[in-house]
Amino acid sequence: MKRITLLAIAALSTTALPTSAQTQSSEGDRNRDVAQEAQVFLNAFQVIRNYGLTPMSDSAVWSKALDGLIGELDDPYASVFTPQEFDEFQEENTGNYAGIGVQITQLNERITITAVFRRTPAERAGLQVGDVILGVEGESTEGWTTSRASEVIRGPVGTSVGLSIGRQGLTSPMRESIQRDSVHVSAVVADRVARNVGYIALDRVARASAAEVDSALTMLGDTRGVILDLRGNPGGFMDESLMISDLFLDPGEKMLSIASRTPGQETQTVQEEYEASEPARIPGKPVIVLVDRFSASASEIVAGALQDNDRGLVMGERTFGKGVYQNVFRLTPTRHLRLTTGEWYTPLGRSLHRPRRIDGRPFPEDPDTFAVLQTESGREVSGGGGVFPDLEIANDTLTTLERAFLSQAAQAEVPLALRIEELAFAQAEVRREAGDDPYVDRTAFEAFTAGLEEAGVEREYLEDDDLLRYLEWRINVRVSERMERTDASIEYRRSRDPVLDEAIRLLQGSESQAALFAAADARQEQIASSGAQGTEGSDSLR
């Protein structure tokens, strides 16, 4: 058994191709066959380049040939990155980028700083939430988009960027020259909610995610239990997912096994298993894992490991079902290939992979053919693609009235999300200065709805009490998030988040993991007997 401390394979690791891969084969016949096929390809390349009716450059022909090869692999996760695409891929999956460490939003047609990350050049330079970026490198930002501003502010580590900053109360702009550095954006939001419940939301399995979850568990160690929210988590690094699982499991408990080809061989496979090696951080405390249809890959590794080991009650929806992992190979100093290279299995040996077409749609399946396995405590888990929740609860959905309102606002080209963001930002500043809890006051809300009507929203919607409560709810959630008050945000969200609300209620009534499983079984029977099944879909506030 391999231990996690020996883990060397990451789901998104970068691997350099051996320089002699084309010349060091011991199979002479195979080499001759390859050489013949390569000559056919090169001859076709030259014919297309020289005689094709539509002229194309050599680079264009090579690019199309490579795209065609990738398209014929029947691998929906395979792709060849351009340099820019690879940089974006790295940033998305690591949370790392080179810049100054601020979040910017276009509020009231001005590039406004809406977050300053800790331990970054921006914090050291004294930039504050609410500051307006009036200019970059001597050029006015009037008319700029946030994408344009971000592109110019970012740059190589060690270089400097000159900013002109406007701040409330100052009559003239401040001039700042800030040296860029490597910035890491945390993937974790954690807080104590409902007085005695720990809540950890992990939006991706990025570099340092395990350390961030570890810190959150330390902070929440005296709570009644912990909710690990993996909804919407698309995955990330395999080794990070194993280190996260290790935080909850006891040494020796199995977390994962993988199978992959021996390089260059057609049938041989390399099989490895990984066990927890560190003491559990919150032994004995009940744990709930929240998942949905967008929880995939590395986040499914965590959910599957905790479910199979009876260490977490999984709630929500069936997950995406990505039971394969990819490696990234460097083709040249600037081009990279992502390729599916192996499969992974949960501790009980379940493959969570759900086969899909090249466009991402799953193939038809027969649930009656899914295997049913038992955990050590005798709980049954499904062997179908994806993690099936122990307690299935659908997300909330928009009402017919809310859908009609959003459609009408969109048709009238009313930037509703931006207006909500502007109001939430302003109200967060007011509440913060007054030392109040997050909320939108009546005067500000009425001015907001009046502005919507002036912008083109039909009056009948703004005279409906249910619709007004929906709008107020959305604003209060954003005010809470702007104030970094996760506890308040969750209290507002609970009214329209049945999965989270149920999780909090179950934890508040359960002293142990076994008691939590029993309570969930009883709740599932109650839901089944009453026929209280929710509908799919939810309003996204992200």
Side-chain angles (χ1 to χ4, degrees):
M1 295 283 189
K2 282 189 176 285
R3 300 177 63 181
I4 189 171
T5 51
L6 301 179
L7 181 64
I9 298 178
L12 299 170
S13 63
T14 303
T15 305
L17 290 174
T19 56
S20 56
Q22 297 179 354
T23 61
Q24 291 187 347
S25 173
S26 60
E27 302 175 10
D29 291 341
R30 183 178 179 184
N31 272 352
R32 282 191 293 273
D33 291 341
V34 170
Q36 291 174 359
E37 294 298 327
Q39 190 60 53
V40 170
F41 178 85
L42 290 174
N43 289 343
F45 175 90
Q46 292 173 349
V47 170
I48 293 170
R49 179 189 60 186
N50 295 330
Y51 299 100
L53 181 61
T54 302
M56 288 186 291
S57 65
D58 285 3
S59 61
V61 178
W62 284 119
S63 179
K64 289 180 179 296
L66 190 54
D67 289 342
L69 173 61
I70 296 299
E72 290 297 317
L73 290 181
D74 195 27
D75 180 355
Y77 306 108
S79 62
V80 176
F81 296 115
T82 64
Q84 180 179 349
E85 289 171 340
F86 184 69
D87 289 343
E88 294 171 353
F89 170 79
Q90 288 285 80
E91 180 181 325
E92 179 182 350
N93 288 284
T94 64
N96 299 327
Y97 69 94
I100 64 173
V102 296
Q103 179 187 80
I104 56 176
T105 307
Q106 192 174 55
L107 300 180
N108 301 308
E109 299 182 352
R110 301 195 298 178
I111 304 298
T112 306
I113 295 176
T114 53
V116 178
F117 302 124
R118 296 184 179 89
R119 297 181 293 278
T120 63
E123 184 186 54
R124 292 190 289 271
L127 297 188
Q128 299 177 8
V129 170
D131 286 348
V132 176
I133 301 178
L134 302 174
V136 182
E137 297 292 357
E139 184 178 354
S140 171
T141 60
E142 184 177 357
W144 282 20
T145 63
T146 53
S147 297
R148 167 66 173 155
S150 177
E151 178 183 344
V152 177
I153 292 172
R154 293 187 183 190
V157 172
T159 61
S160 297
V161 58
L163 302 180
S164 176
I165 302 294
R167 180 172 296 172
Q168 186 175 5
L170 300 183
T171 57
S172 60
M174 301 185 300
R175 311 288 179 181
E176 299 285 348
S177 179
I178 303 177
Q179 188 176 70
R180 300 178 178 101
D181 200 351
S182 180
V183 175
H184 176 74
V185 180
S186 175
V188 169
V189 173
D191 207 340
R192 185 187 305 266
V193 301
R195 295 185 302 279
N196 63 348
V197 172
Y199 175 80
I200 302 172
L202 180 66
D203 64 20
R204 64 191 183 283
V205 186
R207 280 288 170 241
S209 289
E212 292 166 6
V213 174
D214 193 1
S215 296
L217 289 174
T218 299
M219 178 183 72
L220 302 172
D222 62 344
T223 56
R224 186 182 190 89
V226 169
I227 296 171
L228 179 61
D229 195 341
L230 301 179
R231 292 177 296 177
N233 186 317
F237 290 93
M238 180 185 290
D239 54 352
E240 289 285 343
S241 72
L242 292 177
M243 288 187 284
I244 293 170
S245 302
D246 200 349
L247 297 173
F248 295 90
L249 301 175
D250 293 324
E253 290 187 306
K254 189 175 177 180
M255 298 185 295
L256 183 78
S257 61
I258 63 172
S260 61
R261 282 177 55 196
T262 300
Q265 302 299 314
E266 295 184 2
T267 58
Q268 295 183 24
T269 60
V270 175
Q271 295 184 336
E272 298 178 277
E273 295 182 338
Y274 300 95
E275 295 178 345
S277 60
E278 302 294 329
R281 294 297 186 269
I282 50 172
K285 288 187 181 293
V287 174
I288 292 179
V289 182
L290 305 185
V291 296
D292 63 12
R293 74 195 74 174
F294 304 110
S295 304
S297 188
S299 65
E300 292 178 288
I301 289 177
V302 177
L306 270 59
Q307 186 180 53
D308 282 13
N309 284 292
D310 294 315
R311 188 60 193 96
L313 172 73
V314 178
M315 288 179 53
E317 299 175 313
R318 177 185 180 180
T319 63
F320 182 84
K322 184 173 180 286
V324 294
Y325 63 89
Q326 290 72 45
N327 280 84
V328 176
F329 300 89
R330 193 179 74 167
L331 304 178
T332 72
T334 60
R335 300 299 299 275
H336 295 79
L337 167 67
R338 178 176 61 186
L339 185 69
T340 298
T341 56
E343 298 179 89
W344 59 266
Y345 304 89
T346 70
L348 291 178
R350 294 186 289 163
S351 170
L352 300 184
H353 194 58
R354 190 176 184 184
R356 296 174 183 270
R357 298 179 176 88
I358 196 68
D359 62 4
R361 291 182 298 136
F363 288 104
E365 56 187 5
D366 181 3
D368 292 336
T369 64
F370 295 165
V372 177
L373 298 88
Q374 285 194 340
T375 67
E376 186 175 342
S377 69
R379 295 188 311 117
E380 292 186 346
V381 294
S382 174
V387 176
F388 286 74
D390 303 304
L391 178 57
E392 184 175 3
I393 299 179
N395 286 325
D396 186 33
T397 185
L398 294 170
T399 66
T400 302
L401 172 66
E402 292 160 358
R403 291 181 186 275
F405 159 71
L406 293 174
S407 296
Q408 193 271 315
Q411 290 173 356
E413 298 184 350
V414 177
L416 179 63
L418 178 59
R419 295 291 176 263
I420 290 175
E421 200 65 30
E422 291 171 347
L423 176 58
F425 184 81
Q427 286 288 287
E429 290 297 291
V430 172
R431 301 282 88 77
R432 189 180 290 112
E433 291 178 4
D436 290 339
D437 289 331
Y439 72 95
V440 57
D441 64 56
R442 182 53 48 188
T443 301
F445 183 70
E446 290 175 352
F448 167 77
T449 55
L452 291 184
E453 185 176 357
E454 291 177 6
V457 172
E458 295 176 2
R459 178 189 294 269
E460 63 177 293
Y461 290 112
L462 302 175
E463 292 178 343
D464 187 286
D465 289 340
D466 289 337
L467 196 282
L468 291 175
R469 278 191 289 270
Y470 164 70
L471 284 173
E472 187 174 14
W473 171 80
R474 283 189 60 170
I475 295 166
N476 282 329
V477 170
R478 289 302 293 147
V479 173
S480 302
E481 292 172 347
R482 280 294 177 205
M483 295 179 66
E484 298 184 355
R485 286 285 305 276
T486 304
D487 57 335
S489 172
I490 286 179
E491 283 304 313
Y492 283 122
R493 284 168 49 197
R494 285 181 66 180
S495 64
R496 293 188 62 115
D497 189 340
V499 182
L500 179 58
D501 184 62
E502 189 69 51
I504 292 173
R505 293 178 186 277
L506 286 173
L507 269 182
Q508 288 178 322
S510 303
E511 296 289 345
S512 66
Q513 194 69 46
L516 183 60
F517 287 138
D521 289 342
R523 181 66 177 126
Q524 188 71 72
E525 291 179 4
Q526 182 184 18
I527 292 173
S529 62
S530 65
Q533 299 297 324
T535 55
E536 294 184 351
S538 64
D539 177 37
S540 173
L541 300 180
R542 300 294 297 276

